[in-house]
Amino acid sequence: MSLFDAERLATRDLIDRYDAHAPRYTSYPTAVQFTPAVGAETWGDWLATAPRDQAVSLYLHIPFCKRLCWYCGCNTRAVNRTGVIVSYVDLLLQEADLVLARMKGPVRVGSIHLGGGTPNMLPPAELERLYAGLAARFDLGDCFEVAAELDPEVLTPEWMEAAGRIGLSRASLGVQDLSPRVQAAVNRPETFDSIQAAVEGLRTQGVTSVNLDLMYGLPLQTVENLINTLGRVTTLSPERIALFGYAHVPWMKPHQKLIDAADLPDAEARFAQSQAASRYLAAKGWQAIGLDHFALPHDSMAAAARSGRLRRNFQGYTTDAAPVLIGLGASSISRTPRGFVQNHAQERDWRAAVVAGDLPVARGVALNPCDAFIGAIIERLMCDFQVDVPALAQAHGRGPADTAPAWPRLARFHDDGLITVEAGRVSVSPRGRPFVRAVCAAFDPHTVGEGRHARVV
């Protein structure tokens, strides 16, 4: 047997052993543990006691798209009526008023993130009206970042000019894959020319950090067309690149049933795609960040990763360390040190609650001291691939009993060379990094036997 064949067999064995279902760990506890027991009244209490010594972050969910991409896991719908969007902006600002009424006093904002959906579905005038409404309600004097997730195919010069006027500083553009065959399989036609025009236009308007979102594991996707896509988009020198694994969860997202499951690459092919892309980007000068991000060395995310300041939240990896995140809009998630809440996912339910003058919260979870401790362990593993468990236990005032169940579960990772453990310090080896979500799950009592999440590989 050749060395290549032996290595491939070893890799296949690892995939067979560790390609289980596990959360993406953008929070802990994860959204699966959210319940209606934590609702609007609880959220109002948390807002009233939210810490004010640091600026808060704002996330605004815009659940509209021009088209329905079959791979999408976001809360969105196709819309072609401007009136629906205009009334949605009205209600976003009304929800902000409801939040501020509970906080009772000026609220400083450090960052604003427009997610979706497709925020550039907002007409330019509505984008500016939304920002002006936020500026009239919050103190934006310390706002260091205004970010938006954008679809290049529906991004117009007029929208980019409006974005320049509101101070957009970071933009994330959906690319996924440039192969026409793959694009047809997921209903996402897109040209390199539109992406290039978007990048150049946004930079002209003052955007200083451009992120391109790509995916692996899409139907009919191969290593070759993924590398071809990277070869083209890296010519644009994006400051950041996100390379997400497609999560096929049709039981949660029924529109994914439009994808022919027979066209999906298997776990071994997905693994080969992600590893080939990682090697390619490293050779081109992008620094690997956590599980699925890459950044040029001068970017703030790369600097945060090098200094141990990288964080993780519902937008993925981030440099945002704000203790309070206020989510506005249908399905948006908020966070304070006391817990997480999520707004109604159905837009009609969210609208009805806001119109009635109620905080539109549908569910959430309160954090206890043990949750905060386990969450800190998982965040450091996801961000740094290492964690000093005893040091975190001391910082959180916790004892050995909180992590006792984890150590037996970690034994197999150690035996397979995926981690090392020394005096309670867990370090994920380069070989183990693709499986870090499974390592995190060893510390998470909620995921034992849990099959509702996407697979690790």
Side-chain angles (χ1 to χ4, degrees):
M1 181 184 295
S2 69
L3 182 62
F4 173 80
D5 288 336
E7 176 132 346
R8 183 176 178 183
L9 283 174
T11 298
R12 184 182 299 165
D13 182 60
L14 285 178
I15 293 171
D16 289 342
R17 285 170 59 78
Y18 295 107
D19 185 26
H21 294 273
R24 293 187 182 274
Y25 287 116
T26 53
S27 73
Y28 183 83
T30 68
V32 171
Q33 274 73 56
F34 292 11
T35 75
V38 174
E41 184 176 354
T42 303
W43 179 226
D45 292 341
W46 291 353
L47 286 169
T49 59
R52 302 289 189 85
D53 54 328
Q54 297 182 52
V56 309
S57 295
L58 291 181
Y59 172 80
L60 291 86
H61 190 77
I62 312 297
F64 309 122
C65 287
K66 192 73 172 178
R67 54 191 173 175
L68 178 63
C69 303
W70 296 343
Y71 63 82
C72 185
C74 300
N75 184 66
T76 185
R77 65 187 179 102
V79 167
N80 57 17
R81 290 178 295 153
T82 301
V84 172
I85 299 173
V86 171
S87 64
Y88 188 85
V89 171
D90 291 338
L91 292 175
L92 280 175
L93 296 175
Q94 287 184 38
E95 184 184 359
D97 289 334
L98 294 172
V99 166
L100 289 170
R102 271 67 170 186
M103 297 186 80
K104 295 184 175 67
V107 176
R108 293 182 299 122
V109 170
S111 67
I112 300 171
H113 188 106
L114 302 178
T118 305
N120 52 305
M121 284 292 290
L122 294 175
E126 289 304 298
L127 174 67
E128 293 191 80
R129 182 168 75 91
L130 175 60
Y131 186 82
L134 296 175
R137 289 163 170 81
F138 297 93
D139 177 358
L140 303 186
D142 296 326
C143 190
F144 67 90
E145 180 177 270
V146 179
E149 300 167 12
L150 307 174
D151 181 350
E153 285 296 312
V154 294
L155 186 61
T156 65
E158 294 77 17
W159 200 95
M160 290 188 279
E161 290 168 4
R165 288 191 290 271
I166 71 168
L168 188 74
S169 58
R170 186 168 65 82
S172 185
L173 302 173
V175 175
Q176 320 319 338
D177 190 290
L178 291 176
S179 163
R181 189 164 177 251
V182 175
Q183 290 179 354
V186 295
N187 195 41
R188 174 81 180 200
E190 190 164 54
T191 66
F192 175 76
D193 289 345
S194 67
I195 296 163
Q196 183 177 31
V199 170
E200 292 174 352
L202 289 165
R203 284 178 169 154
T204 298
Q205 294 299 329
V207 171
T208 56
S209 182
V210 172
N211 173 76
L212 300 183
D213 283 342
L214 280 75
M215 297 187 83
Y216 67 88
L218 291 170
L220 305 178
Q221 195 174 32
T222 65
V223 168
E224 182 181 10
N225 57 42
L226 178 56
I227 297 303
N228 286 341
T229 294
L230 287 171
R232 300 195 72 185
V233 300
T234 51
T235 63
L236 303 176
S237 298
E239 283 74 16
R240 302 178 188 178
I241 293 174
L243 180 66
F244 299 116
Y246 167 60
H248 191 59
V249 287
W251 57 90
M252 292 176 59
K253 298 295 178 180
H255 59 265
Q256 290 186 351
K257 295 176 183 176
L258 296 168
I259 290 175
D260 187 347
D263 291 336
L264 293 171
D266 62 19
E268 188 176 356
R270 285 170 59 94
F271 188 84
Q273 290 172 19
S274 68
Q275 296 308 293
S278 297
R279 290 191 296 270
Y280 182 91
L281 289 171
K284 290 290 186 178
W286 275 262
Q287 177 183 326
I289 308 291
L291 181 63
D292 49 21
H293 279 53
F294 302 83
L296 291 175
H298 69 267
D299 186 77
S300 61
M301 181 172 281
R306 290 192 297 269
S307 63
R309 295 180 293 105
L310 188 66
R311 303 300 301 271
R312 191 159 174 82
N313 66 17
F314 290 100
Q315 283 79 59
Y317 289 108
T318 180
T319 60
D320 185 5
V324 177
L325 169 66
I326 296 173
L328 304 175
S331 82
S332 64
I333 295 176
S334 302
R335 176 193 74 231
T336 79
R338 296 179 64 181
F340 301 94
V341 296
Q342 183 174 27
N343 281 354
H344 290 288
Q346 293 294 325
E347 185 190 331
R348 63 177 179 272
D349 297 332
W350 173 82
R351 285 176 178 264
V354 175
V355 168
D358 299 326
L359 290 169
V361 169
R363 61 190 190 131
V365 63
L367 281 172
N368 61 46
C370 184
D371 290 333
F373 171 45
I374 298 298
I377 292 173
I378 289 173
E379 184 176 39
R380 292 326 330 142
L381 282 170
M382 290 294 296
C383 292
D384 305 333
F385 295 113
Q386 60 182 5
V387 61
D388 188 334
V389 175
L392 279 181
Q394 184 175 15
H396 285 260
R398 307 305 299 175
D402 293 316
T403 56
W407 304 109
R409 297 179 197 147
L410 291 171
R412 62 178 185 144
F413 295 91
H414 182 274
D415 294 344
D416 285 335
L418 304 187
I419 65 171
T420 59
V421 181
E422 184 176 352
R425 185 181 186 90
V426 179
S427 299
V428 182
S429 69
R431 188 182 189 209
R433 290 184 177 189
F435 307 99
V436 66
R437 287 165 54 207
V439 176
C440 291
F443 287 94
D444 180 358
H446 300 294
T447 61
V448 177
E450 177 61 72
R452 297 174 62 186
H453 303 284
R455 302 196 75 89
V456 166
V457 173

